[in-house]
Amino acid sequence: MEGKARNASTLFFSFACIFLSLSTATTTTTLSTSLQFQTLTLNPLPNRPAISWADTEPEIQTSMDPTASEASSSATSFLSVQLHHIDALSSDKSSQDLFNSRLARDAARVKSLISLAATAGGTNQTRARGPGFSSSVVSGLAQGSGEYFTRLGVGTPVKYVYMVLDTGSDIVWIQCAPCKKCYSQTDPVFDPTKSSSFANIPCVSPMCRRLDSPGCSTKKQICLYQVSYGDGSFTVGEYSTETLTFRGTRVDRVMLGCGHDNEGLFVGAAGLLGLGRGGLSFPSQMGRLFNRKFSYCLVDRSASSKPSSMVFGDSAISRTAQFTPMLSNPKVDTFYYVELLGISVGGTRVSGISPSLFKLDSTGNGGVIIDSGTSVTRLTRPAYVALRDAFRAGASNLKQGPEFSLFDTCFDLSGKTEVKVPTVVLHFRGADVSLPASNYLIPVDNSGSFCFAFAGTMSGLSIIGNIQQQGFRVVYDLAASRVGFAPRGCA
């Protein structure tokens, strides 16, 4: 009798185990199938490509003066040019060295932005309207800079140079001869004495007083500028006006710094085209001409050479863009603040990420900015941890790998050509931005190691970097105070 009871008990236990096993298997399948995935094609770190960018000066189609009246402004044709990664200009660094340099420079960049957001202020920008033009944009990975560059002409006659595009800076500046100290750049240093359109700005000019901290050369009575960056880099020289040429479109009397002492982490390019919201940035200066609108599409760093453009004017607005309102920070007018409400992984909102984590408060602390010069998106620490954990759970089918630099979530994908990864969507107010897989799982070496391209920061400031922006046309519509994202915008 006891034996029969034991057998019955054993049989019941076995059935219970089978039932629990089936239930667990069914639950796991349901969870995995409810997640949304997309395919990532695995590419190694890009090698240095060849470059073929002709500097033959095109016929000047139009000339513009931002100080002229609106009535005198004339429309320009849309122009596009072939693009290349700037890494074609680096002669001796391996793809691994370039990537490591990029991350080191990125860390300095983030430190600089956080420092500026914590301490700086600025001026307002002008209002106006007008036509448009375009230029070219190239990735600066080759220089280890984590930034993007454009090729444009300076002076008369035109001398073509590379200029960094930076939405986190306002002042336009270029290295000038004679150099007290200049860093190494790809092109010859610009000599203002050989340009008929170059003009110094007098100390008494209203243009000089628009600088936050203007200086004056007592001997020549000309305006002086100085810009210092949070990473220790700086540029010092004369504040002046000069003509910039964008592939056939001349823009006269652009206020820019002519730097004779330029020291720090600047690499390769001749200077910087400030695209920030401040009153001295290029978009603010050109507001009358280009209707306070511009956009860019940053090429995928893993692509050999994809066409792209930077556009100013009404043609910068993409019809497929989703827009989110632009917020203002009372402390810092340089940055482009937006409202991030949450993030989804695998089609499900991450529960630990609430809008309060990204709130820009009344004192100017916190918030989220869009930045072209930061590579890796930084999220305030609690938001990052929640996002990371959700992605790890969704990517549990991938073989884990060791951490790499600032990345704490990496995978060993050696021997594979493609993998399925959970989707990632950034939910801005009014705009849901669905990222391609290559915008958040990136190669960090040539041995099959890939890492989740987000990182945490102890600062309250979150930064949407250019890895997450690549392939989108990012639209800055200052006239309507909004930022737009158009997928597949580089075609």
Side-chain angles (χ1 to χ4, degrees):
M1 189 73 176
E2 251 180 67
K4 287 184 179 179
R6 274 199 303 270
N7 289 339
S9 177
T10 302
L11 190 61
F12 174 81
F13 181 76
S14 299
F15 274 118
C17 288
I18 292 171
F19 176 79
L20 285 173
S21 177
L22 287 172
S23 298
T24 304
T26 303
T27 303
T28 303
T29 303
T30 302
L31 286 174
S32 63
T33 55
S34 67
L35 286 177
Q36 295 175 6
F37 291 84
Q38 61 180 332
T39 300
L40 171 65
T41 301
L42 304 181
N43 294 311
L45 290 173
N47 293 318
R48 183 174 67 90
I51 192 168
S52 56
W53 199 331
D55 279 345
T56 54
E57 183 177 342
E59 181 181 351
I60 301 300
Q61 296 183 352
T62 189
S63 183
M64 299 179 171
D65 185 343
T67 63
S69 65
E70 290 184 31
S72 66
S73 297
S74 59
T76 68
S77 301
F78 179 85
L79 299 172
S80 61
V81 295
Q82 188 179 9
L83 304 179
H84 298 273
H85 286 102
I86 203 71
D87 47 359
L89 303 177
S90 181
S91 59
D92 56 354
K93 284 190 174 183
S94 68
S95 57
Q96 188 67 63
D97 289 339
L98 293 172
F99 184 72
N100 294 342
S101 297
R102 172 186 174 192
L103 294 182
R105 188 169 173 87
D106 198 48
R109 166 77 174 192
V110 170
K111 181 180 179 182
S112 173
L113 294 181
I114 290 172
S115 174
L116 182 59
T119 60
T123 56
N124 294 322
Q125 60 190 7
T126 56
R127 291 177 176 269
R129 55 176 300 171
F133 67 90
S134 74
S135 184
S136 56
V137 183
V138 291
S139 161
L141 172 59
Q143 296 292 349
S145 66
E147 295 152 350
Y148 287 78
F149 297 75
T150 188
R151 189 82 168 157
L152 56 79
V154 181
T156 307
V158 177
K159 300 295 182 183
Y160 282 96
V161 295
Y162 291 105
M163 296 279 279
V164 177
L165 303 178
D166 188 7
T167 57
S169 301
D170 289 329
I171 299 289
V172 180
W173 62 267
I174 185 173
Q175 290 203 115
C176 286
C179 286
K180 177 181 178 182
K181 186 167 185 180
C182 288
Y183 59 87
S184 176
Q185 68 177 56
T186 303
D187 300 288
V189 174
F190 176 69
D191 186 347
T193 64
K194 296 181 180 179
S195 172
S196 61
S197 51
F198 179 86
N200 288 120
I201 295 175
C203 297
V204 296
S205 168
M207 289 189 287
C208 185
R209 292 196 293 269
R210 291 175 66 182
L211 290 166
D212 285 338
S213 301
C216 181
S217 169
T218 53
K219 183 179 180 180
K220 299 180 180 179
Q221 286 297 303
I222 57 176
C223 188
L224 303 177
Y225 82 99
Q226 176 172 343
V227 178
S228 299
Y229 298 90
D231 59 10
S233 304
F234 64 86
T235 173
V236 180
E238 303 150 359
Y239 204 50
S240 53
T241 62
E242 181 56 291
T243 295
L244 300 183
T245 300
F246 294 79
R247 308 305 290 178
T249 300
R250 289 172 57 94
V251 183
D252 299 320
R253 293 179 56 79
V254 177
M255 291 183 291
L256 54 79
C258 188
H260 299 286
D261 187 358
N262 317 286
E263 303 178 37
L265 294 175
F266 310 120
V267 184
L272 185 145
L273 193 72
L275 299 176
R277 294 180 74 181
L280 295 177
S281 73
F282 185 72
S284 293
Q285 288 191 55
M286 300 300 112
R288 182 183 301 277
L289 295 175
F290 306 122
N291 212 11
R292 302 174 66 209
K293 299 171 184 175
F294 72 96
S295 67
Y296 56 69
C297 191
L298 306 179
V299 295
D300 186 339
R301 294 175 182 274
S302 297
S304 54
S305 60
K306 292 177 62 176
S308 176
S309 66
M310 177 181 66
V311 183
F312 291 84
D314 289 336
S315 55
I317 306 297
S318 171
R319 287 176 294 180
T320 61
Q322 293 186 65
F323 286 93
T324 185
M326 199 181 289
L327 306 181
S328 294
N329 186 335
K331 288 174 61 177
V332 188
D333 68 351
T334 298
F335 299 152
Y336 293 95
Y337 282 86
V338 291
E339 188 175 3
L340 184 60
L341 301 176
I343 304 176
S344 290
V345 172
T348 302
R349 285 283 189 118
V350 179
S351 59
I353 299 180
S354 64
S356 62
L357 294 176
F358 306 116
K359 185 175 177 59
L360 174 63
D361 66 27
S362 58
T363 63
N365 293 314
V368 179
I369 65 171
I370 306 290
D371 183 48
S372 65
T374 299
S375 289
V376 179
T377 288
R378 303 306 206 280
L379 299 176
T380 188
R381 186 69 187 174
Y384 170 69
V385 170
L387 172 64
R388 176 200 67 191
D389 291 348
F391 186 81
R392 284 178 177 176
S396 58
N397 59 313
L398 302 180
K399 182 181 178 182
Q400 291 189 8
E403 296 181 2
F404 184 93
S405 185
L406 78 167
F407 302 120
D408 63 8
T409 300
C410 300
F411 304 92
D412 178 3
L413 305 180
S414 56
K416 299 180 182 294
T417 57
E418 63 179 35
V419 294
K420 295 285 187 182
V421 296
T423 58
V424 174
V425 180
L426 304 179
H427 299 289
F428 299 97
R429 182 170 296 281
D432 296 325
V433 180
S434 182
L435 301 179
S438 57
N439 286 27
Y440 55 87
L441 197 60
I442 63 169
V444 297
D445 60 25
N446 290 311
S447 302
S449 298
F450 283 71
C451 294
F452 189 51
F454 288 82
T457 173
M458 299 309 293
S459 164
L461 179 69
S462 295
I463 306 168
I464 307 298
N466 59 44
I467 291 176
Q468 282 65 44
Q469 295 177 48
Q470 66 187 19
F472 288 90
R473 179 155 294 281
V474 183
V475 181
Y476 296 82
D477 184 355
L478 282 76
S481 192
R482 59 181 186 166
V483 175
F485 303 90
R488 298 175 294 279
C490 292

